[in-house]
């Protein structure tokens, strides 16, 4: 019924998170496909496919016989592509708010409250 | 890596959606476990478990030898429980907005824009 995100996409997503969170910095190496496959208990080909996706998108740079490195502009590229995904990710939550008869004002008030609770504070005027 | 929602929970959720969207009205029958299992291509025991969850929560009322019916106060109960789930569902999106360096103001502006695009309009002052 529900479709699950493919494993290779989940691998790519975790690496993206690592880059955005500063765990892997531009110019430094990300884990190898062997390491990823052993750490996550997945097929090496799946780990490789996740890495290859990021190489194809220019987020990682492949190196012969060594793990890929993070591209110099990886963060800018990732921030842009993640921002583009947000509206689609918000849509089901907005539909859910509509379903429980919330007004837009109540929804914004809730978002603001949850944002504060997670450290995303309103800028002081 | 990712954990998927159990099938029986997905069945229960679809029935909840059907009640909230007015497809199944209070006092009327929901599909039988046999129908649900055949329609979704799942085990009849899984369909039954989904129905039983809703019966245990008082959303559905079991009937001997016939499909369950929607409880009189099902909508009120579902709206309340769905509202309680919203903050937890919003949290990952707020973390994602933080990750891409959005301010709370930019996030609220985005939520408002996506809400308008999905028919959840701001109330006119």
């Amino acid at each position: 019924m529900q479709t699950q995100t493919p494993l290779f996409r989940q691998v790519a997503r975790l690496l993206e998170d690592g880059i955005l969170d500063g765990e892997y910095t531009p110019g430094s190496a990300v884990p190898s496909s062997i390491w990823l496959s052993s750490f996550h208990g997945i097929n090496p080909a799946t780990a490789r496919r996740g890495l290859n996706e990021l190489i194809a998108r220019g987020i990682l740079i492949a190196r012969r016989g060594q793990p890929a490195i993070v591209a110099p502009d990886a963060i800018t590229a990732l921030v842009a592509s993640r921002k583009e995904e947000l509206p689609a990710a918000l849509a089901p939550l907005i539909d859910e708010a509509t379903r429980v008869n919330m007004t837009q004002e109540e929804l914004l008030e809730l978002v603001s409250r949850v944002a504060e609770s997670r450290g995303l504070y309103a800028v002081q005027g």
Side-chain angles (χ1 to χ4, degrees), chain A residues 4-25 29-32 35-42 46-47 49-51 53-54 57 59-60 70 74 78 81-82 85:
Chain A
Q4 195 173 23
T5 310
L7 272 179
F8 81 90
R9 188 78 270 285
Q10 292 183 47
V11 169
R13 187 92 186 176
L14 285 173
L15 292 169
E16 290 179 27
D17 287 348
I19 295 168
L20 284 169
D21 296 343
E23 188 182 348
Y24 311 121
T25 52
V30 292
S32 67
W35 188 93
L36 289 168
S37 98
S38 133
F39 185 78
H40 296 299
I42 57 176
T46 305
R49 197 171 162 196
L51 287 163
E53 190 205 283
L54 295 178
R57 285 167 54 201
I59 305 296
L60 298 180
V70 178
L78 283 177
S81 77
R82 291 286 185 101
E85 290 170 15

Side-chain angles (χ1 to χ4, degrees), chain A residues 27-109:
Chain A
S28 72
V30 292
S32 67
S33 57
I34 302 297
W35 188 93
L36 289 168
S37 98
S38 133
F39 185 78
H40 296 299
I42 57 176
N43 197 298
T46 305
R48 210 146 40 225
R49 197 171 162 196
L51 287 163
N52 284 342
E53 190 205 283
L54 295 178
I55 291 165
R57 285 167 54 201
I59 305 296
L60 298 180
I61 298 167
R63 291 186 303 174
R64 190 175 290 271
Q66 288 183 80
I69 58 172
V70 178
D73 59 352
I75 294 173
T76 315
L78 283 177
V79 164
S81 77
R82 291 286 185 101
K83 266 193 180 167
E84 273 173 31
E85 290 170 15
L86 269 178
L90 275 170
L93 283 170
I94 283 160
D95 293 349
E96 183 71 2
T98 306
R99 192 170 254 154
V100 298
N101 305 315
M102 285 175 83
T103 63
Q104 190 187 125
E105 287 71 15
E106 286 169 333
L107 174 63
L108 292 177
E109 152 71 28

